[in-house]
Amino acid sequence: MTTTTRIGVGGDYDVVVGSGLLDELPDLLGAGVQRVLVVHPRALAATGEGVREALAAKGFEAYAAEVPDAEEAKTAQVAAFLWGVLGQAGFTRSDAVVAVGGGATTDLAGFVAATWLRGIRVVHVPTTLLGMVDAAVGGKTGINTPEGKNLVGAFHPPAGVLCDLATLETLPTNDFVAGLAEVVKCGFVADPVILDLVESDPEAVRRPDGPHVRELVERSIRVKADVVSTDLTEQGPREVLNYGHTFGHAVEQVERFAFRHGAAVSIGMVYVAELARLAGTLDDDVVDRHRSVLTSLGLPVTYRGDRWPQLLDAMKRDKKSRGSLLRFVVLSGLARPTRLEGPDPALLQAAYAEVSR
Ligand SMILES: NC(=O)c1ccc[n+]([C@@H]2O[C@H](COP(=O)([O-])OP(=O)(O)OC[C@H]3O[C@@H](n4cnc5c(N)ncnc54)[C@H](O)[C@@H]3O)[C@@H](O)[C@H]2O)c1
């Protein structure tokens, strides 16, 4: 029997987790929707068409639009293409967008929904692990510009999120494992049971059909839901979700985005753990646990040692820093996030030495 779990996000919308969930879509779309546009990447043409057909069978005027895979979808040109589709089909304020895909697709489709007629409903159907535990939950949407990633966007919470775990089975292993970095992050900042589950059988956790995947997905979504429901626009508590991301983003920039986000965040978490240890807030055993958990999943924990000036420069330009002061989310213990502001430059470089190979 298929069971579903519903996780409320601040009483505003639900994230539904289970397998074979298409029947739940009309409910999540809410009342009054007549037209729906299913946005999907090329890699998920069959899945997207399946969703469109299921909605048409339920009486919706259902359209589908195919967009490029991954970051190529997050451009002003692709957004304009979707605005054109909505315009030609006569979408009104009471109609809706359904995003079927990874974080790139949900970011793009969410942004188009946020901007069409100043905001129409969007339901996300994330098909990557990162999409389920991170990108589709929380209401951040956006596209890239030639100057940088996610520079244009809007806060636009979805009407609902449908995580169908069966869709993960076609996801390449490297993408799935990269998503596990965000799961581990949730373990360190808020829910250490996640770490216990990973340590109980890391090999099984690396498989989308493994026995603990559903619980890991649900626990990670709960962590994100708790945080974003108190802080939609990133003024305060939501900052904990950036654990490992300041250094991780710097690695992504230095590597010109040829590095997977999750892999960069994995190194970034070890970096801030070392930073916290050097600053005297974190014990050696928790730092070691970062390395052992991430390594057991096949995630990287070291980075090349000859890039410090570029990394420091990238961290200073990070869009989440305020003014010239570098800020990091660090731990003062398991599930005890705190903020480290303007650390001594020598400490920053010493932490880099600890993750350099
Ligand atoms: N809005 C947020 O809060 C937030 C948070 C984190 C990340 N993001 C964004 O998410 C994006 C990364 O998302 P991602 O890691 O999900 O990658 P992605 O969306 O780029 O997907 C990775 C690749 O896998 C394909 N794919 C997706 N699902 C598949 C499936 N089930 N089977 C086979 N192939 C599949 C995609 O077409 C793509 O080629 C970035 O653009 C990032 O900025 C947003």
Side-chain angles (χ1 to χ4, degrees):
M1 191 185 73
T2 314
T3 55
T4 58
T5 308
R6 294 184 95 87
I7 302 167
V9 185
D12 296 328
Y13 58 94
D14 283 347
V15 181
V16 183
V17 185
S19 276
L21 295 177
L22 277 186
D23 282 350
E24 305 271 340
L25 248 186
D27 199 33
L28 287 181
L29 282 165
V33 175
Q34 189 189 336
R35 298 174 192 83
V36 282
L37 176 64
V38 178
V39 178
H40 63 82
R42 269 180 210 128
L44 293 172
T47 311
E49 182 53 23
V51 174
R52 192 201 66 76
E53 279 171 11
L55 288 169
K58 297 264 182 203
F60 292 94
E61 197 181 309
Y63 301 84
E66 185 171 288
V67 295
D69 287 305
E71 291 302 301
E72 276 180 42
K74 287 178 62 172
T75 66
Q77 289 79 356
V78 179
F81 156 69
L82 293 177
W83 289 321
V85 174
L86 293 171
Q88 279 154 28
F91 271 60
T92 69
R93 277 251 168 90
S94 58
D95 296 324
V97 170
V98 173
V100 179
T105 309
T106 55
D107 270 12
L108 164 78
F111 176 66
V112 166
T115 45
W116 183 250
L117 301 176
R118 299 192 179 83
I120 65 171
R121 267 175 268 186
V122 61
V123 168
H124 293 314
V125 184
T127 60
T128 62
L129 183 58
L130 182 94
M132 292 181 187
V133 302
D134 195 356
V137 182
K140 284 206 288 180
T141 72
I143 57 173
N144 307 326
T145 76
E147 289 71 34
K149 271 194 69 173
N150 298 324
L151 291 179
V152 176
F155 289 104
H156 186 62
V161 181
L162 204 67
C163 299
D164 187 337
L165 298 167
T167 61
L168 294 176
E169 279 163 30
T170 55
L171 192 65
T173 306
N174 284 344
D175 283 307
F176 183 78
V177 170
L180 286 172
E182 300 289 351
V183 171
V184 170
K185 175 196 77 181
C186 292
F188 278 111
V189 298
D191 181 3
V193 173
I194 287 176
L195 306 176
D196 300 338
L197 283 168
V198 171
E199 285 165 339
S200 72
D201 193 351
E203 262 318 304
V205 168
R206 280 169 52 88
R207 293 197 327 263
D209 61 348
H212 298 311
V213 168
R214 179 167 179 164
E215 185 173 355
L216 289 170
V217 167
E218 290 179 3
R219 283 183 177 275
S220 304
I221 291 171
R222 281 202 179 90
V223 170
K224 182 147 191 190
D226 281 355
V227 174
V228 298
S229 57
T230 58
D231 180 23
L232 172 67
T233 56
E234 251 175 356
Q235 304 298 308
R238 192 166 176 160
E239 210 176 26
V240 304
L241 299 173
N242 290 332
Y243 188 62
H245 281 57
T246 307
F247 190 83
H249 283 151
V251 169
E252 284 186 278
Q253 291 219 352
V254 171
E255 294 294 326
R256 297 181 190 281
F257 296 98
F259 226 76
R260 274 194 174 74
H261 175 72
V265 168
S266 174
I267 303 166
M269 286 191 278
V270 182
Y271 177 81
V272 276
E274 286 291 357
L275 191 59
R277 186 176 64 81
L278 292 164
T281 73
L282 196 59
D283 293 339
D284 291 354
D285 56 337
V286 185
V287 182
D288 292 345
R289 203 169 176 193
H290 281 70
R291 287 202 171 82
S292 63
V293 167
L294 293 164
T295 307
S296 75
L297 292 171
L299 284 160
V301 294
T302 57
Y303 183 59
R304 57 189 297 170
D306 57 354
R307 287 291 181 271
W308 183 237
Q310 296 92 321
L311 290 165
L312 186 60
D313 189 48
M315 287 198 283
K316 285 183 177 159
R317 282 186 282 109
D318 194 280
K319 102 170 144 340
K320 286 174 187 125
S321 37
R322 311 216 167 144
S324 57
L325 202 62
L326 272 178
R327 293 147 59 96
F328 294 88
V329 176
V330 293
L331 296 181
S332 60
L334 267 188
R336 286 172 53 203
T338 173
R339 188 183 293 155
L340 184 66
E341 284 194 5
D344 185 335
L347 225 55
L348 290 172
Q349 197 165 355
Y352 174 56
E354 295 297 332
V355 297
S356 298
R357 65 172 125 75

